[in-house]
Amino acid sequence: MKAKNQRLMLAALAMIAVVAAGLLALSALKDQAAFFYAPSDVKKDGLPLGKAVRLGGMVVAGSIKRAADGVTLRFAVTDGQATTPVTFRGIAPDLFREKSGVVAEGQFQPDGGFVATNLLAKHDEKYMPPELAGKMHETKSLKQ
């Protein structure tokens, strides 16, 4: 085999290996990706059962209830159009409070509730997750 043909064959094999590695990485990430939902998305599109997702919105005033065990929280998240009940077992972030933005990571239950495994709270008064900010603006424009 000529040197030119060997180089072409090596380059082709390298390209095939890079494409195969990329496809393998994408297939592995597909199962680990967490999608973002607002409560109105869930109401409109249905519950994404059995998937790791993120639910974002504002914590409804007066909705935070602490269980007797001291680590279980129940609260509601809203985006202005719909509300979703959330249960979280663990230590909530210091900035987690009513009327503030929150993104909960977890899974939806068949009864329509959301069981969170992690809570992400806002970091200052003007912060809102980019995905939620877009949803809130859409909600306001639809009401007008």
Side-chain angles (χ1 to χ4, degrees):
M1 187 180 272
K2 293 182 182 179
K4 182 179 179 181
N5 290 341
Q6 285 180 334
R7 284 192 304 261
L8 287 174
M9 184 65 77
L10 184 60
L13 288 174
M15 289 299 292
I16 290 171
V18 168
V19 169
L23 291 175
L24 186 62
L26 287 176
S27 69
L29 289 175
K30 177 181 68 172
D31 296 333
Q32 299 299 319
F35 296 100
F36 181 86
Y37 289 90
S40 60
D41 293 337
V42 176
K43 185 177 179 182
K44 179 179 64 172
D45 300 332
L47 295 174
L49 296 175
K51 293 182 182 177
V53 297
R54 291 180 177 156
L55 174 70
M58 302 299 280
V59 178
V60 176
S63 69
I64 298 176
K65 307 289 185 229
R66 297 188 187 278
D69 64 6
V71 294
T72 303
L73 289 174
R74 287 184 174 77
F75 59 96
V77 173
T78 186
D79 64 354
Q81 288 186 331
T83 302
T84 301
V86 178
T87 302
F88 173 69
R89 184 173 170 80
I91 299 171
D94 291 338
L95 296 175
F96 175 77
R97 59 181 56 100
E98 297 173 347
K99 296 183 182 180
S100 67
V102 67
V103 175
E105 297 175 339
Q107 291 187 342
F108 282 98
Q109 301 300 302
D111 64 358
F114 187 82
V115 176
T117 56
N118 191 23
L119 293 179
L120 307 169
K122 69 176 190 170
H123 61 77
D124 70 47
E125 297 172 15
K126 297 178 183 168
Y127 174 77
M128 187 173 293
E131 301 93 343
L132 179 60
K135 296 292 181 189
M136 294 298 280
H137 293 300
E138 288 175 11
T139 301
K140 288 179 184 178
S141 65
L142 291 175
K143 285 184 177 180
Q144 294 175 348

